[in-house]
Amino acid sequence: MEHELLTLEFGRGTVTYEGRTAPAGTLGCEALNIPDAVIASLAEPCRVLNEFIAALGMLSVTDELLERARGAALQLLNAMLEMEPFSHLDRDFYAPGIADAFTPEAIEQVRALNMAMLTRGLAAAQEPGLRKGALLSKIAPVLAQLAFSLAEYKRAMAALAEAINADDVERTPDGLAAAFSAHFSASNDSLMALANASVQYASAGEPPQLLRRMNYVSFVGLLRSDLYEGLIIGHAPRKCAVCGRWFLTLDARRTKYCGGLAPGDARGRTCRGREQREFAGDHPLKAIYNRRLNTILQSQRRGRLDETTADAMRKLAKDKLQRALSDADYARVAYESEMTQEALRAEAERKC
């Protein structure tokens, strides 16, 4: 497949993007893990590129704006190379292309290209003398919408992923289809459509495999399409109960832990390796719970806690453990502080 930032190939349960082949749904799942702060940091270079595009349309690009636009485009490319699912992009291909595209020569070619397309249509973009202009016309808009696309994708698809992540959802094609239907209402069906996506079919590989090649106009459409293609065959995102990151499951098993490194683990174990069983004796969340039960019992024996308060604290502690086991964000942020002796006692006395 040629280098195309907005092209995917689907075939036999896989997706291929820029030379990387993975289970369908992988790209959409990985994009759910892009931090909001990283997406926000892309807003300024995207703003510069949009300013450049507007000036290009008015034929009023200054040397200073051209320099800033070139820098913004390279900044966006470098940022993409640091995040999944874009880290596999070929920098040696795209960086020189940006250098060629954001030049005075390319700007002049854009003007000539626009005139040529009035008479010769899209075929004009294939002329050697207009190559840089065609490249600029293509790459600037693609990069300019990156921040918006990623933010829009996470806004809509994170909610769907959370719905699918519920314990009562059957992680089979039929179960995922039902969860999908329940999540999207008829008034929200625009999120199910992929506007302006074109489809081609090709045979590749040995033995030959029929592939569906889809070309998109935005990253949000590309990522959403991959996520949906995965759901069709039973591939679905799952939130790791340890680190809180999304990972892709390929079958109906209710896998709770990803294969990434467990945060803060001194032995360098993966989340899956550290948490072999949810209620293992050395489970870090349960260890906090067990220590708190011991201190409550000791305080009760020493006369520092009455029976009513102690029972209320034990119930609260158990409720917080169950919540922490099912809510990775709560486990990571608030669980330990809410499980201190002082915090439990204060909450118990307020409720008694």
Side-chain angles (χ1 to χ4, degrees):
M1 184 172 64
E2 62 184 86
H3 288 282
E4 292 285 355
L5 275 176
L6 293 176
T7 298
L8 298 180
E9 285 185 346
F10 294 102
R12 297 185 185 177
T14 66
V15 59
T16 298
Y17 180 54
E18 288 286 319
R20 174 201 181 193
T21 299
T26 297
L27 310 181
C29 183
E30 290 175 340
L32 292 171
N33 290 320
I34 301 176
D36 292 340
V38 170
I39 296 175
S41 72
L42 305 177
E44 178 56 22
C46 285
R47 185 197 65 77
V48 172
L49 283 183
N50 280 298
E51 180 184 349
F52 170 80
I53 292 170
L56 186 63
M58 299 293 293
L59 304 180
S60 59
V61 177
T62 64
D63 291 342
E64 185 269 340
L65 179 56
L66 176 61
E67 184 70 22
R68 286 197 294 124
R70 184 189 304 113
L74 286 171
Q75 182 180 346
L76 289 168
L77 174 63
N78 290 333
M80 292 174 74
L81 292 171
E82 295 296 323
M83 67 177 77
E84 297 291 1
F86 306 112
S87 63
H88 297 272
L89 297 180
D90 186 350
R91 192 184 195 285
D92 292 338
F93 174 83
Y94 285 108
I98 289 174
D100 284 345
F102 289 86
T103 60
E105 180 184 3
I107 291 176
E108 289 300 320
Q109 288 185 15
V110 167
R111 297 167 182 167
L113 176 63
N114 290 339
M115 295 298 296
M117 289 180 67
L118 293 176
T119 57
R120 298 193 293 280
L122 294 176
Q126 306 302 319
E127 296 183 11
L130 300 177
R131 184 187 67 83
K132 290 185 178 180
L135 182 61
L136 178 60
S137 297
K138 183 176 183 179
I139 200 169
V142 168
L143 291 177
Q145 50 86 29
L146 178 63
F148 172 80
S149 282
L150 294 180
E152 182 66 10
Y153 175 77
K154 284 198 67 177
R155 181 194 66 78
M157 295 299 102
L160 172 62
E162 291 286 0
I164 292 171
N165 197 56
D167 288 336
D168 60 345
V169 172
E170 290 290 336
R171 303 183 73 80
T172 61
D174 289 346
L176 294 172
F180 184 98
S181 177
H183 180 74
F184 288 120
S185 65
S187 62
N188 211 18
D189 62 2
S190 63
L191 293 173
M192 290 184 274
L194 297 170
N196 299 320
S198 62
V199 182
Q200 300 168 305
Y201 293 89
S203 178
E206 188 61 42
Q209 177 182 348
L210 187 62
L211 303 174
R212 182 171 66 261
R213 180 176 296 154
M214 298 188 68
N215 305 291
Y216 307 88
V217 297
S218 70
F219 286 108
V220 66
L222 178 148
L223 295 170
R224 201 164 63 215
S225 177
D226 176 59
L227 188 70
Y228 293 167
E229 289 284 336
L231 293 178
I232 289 172
I233 56 177
H235 298 177
R238 182 78 164 173
K239 181 175 283 189
C240 178
V242 174
C243 68
R245 289 178 60 81
W246 293 100
F247 64 101
L248 193 69
T249 63
L250 307 182
D251 52 41
R253 289 180 294 180
R254 298 184 181 278
T255 307
K256 289 196 173 185
Y257 311 113
C258 73
L261 292 178
D265 187 78
R267 295 169 57 185
R269 291 173 293 182
T270 65
C271 295
R272 190 173 299 140
R274 193 181 74 175
E275 310 301 326
Q276 290 296 322
R277 291 177 289 119
E278 181 175 327
F279 288 98
D282 63 347
H283 192 293
L285 300 179
K286 190 174 181 184
I288 293 173
Y289 170 75
N290 287 335
R291 287 198 301 270
R292 193 56 53 232
L293 292 188
N294 288 336
T295 57
I296 291 172
L297 180 59
Q298 292 172 10
S299 294
Q300 188 177 4
R301 287 174 175 173
R302 294 170 183 172
R304 297 174 182 172
L305 282 177
D306 60 76
E307 184 176 354
T308 300
T309 303
D311 287 343
M313 291 172 66
R314 280 189 281 266
K315 183 180 184 307
L316 285 170
K318 185 175 182 180
D319 291 344
K320 293 179 188 298
L321 171 63
Q322 295 301 325
R323 179 183 175 187
L325 288 170
S326 61
D327 186 340
D329 290 334
Y330 171 72
R332 187 172 58 252
V333 176
Y335 174 67
E336 190 167 3
S337 63
E338 290 188 7
M339 286 286 281
T340 65
Q341 180 94 339
E342 295 77 11
L344 285 174
R345 180 167 187 169
E347 186 174 352
E349 289 177 344
R350 286 196 304 270
K351 294 182 176 182
C352 287

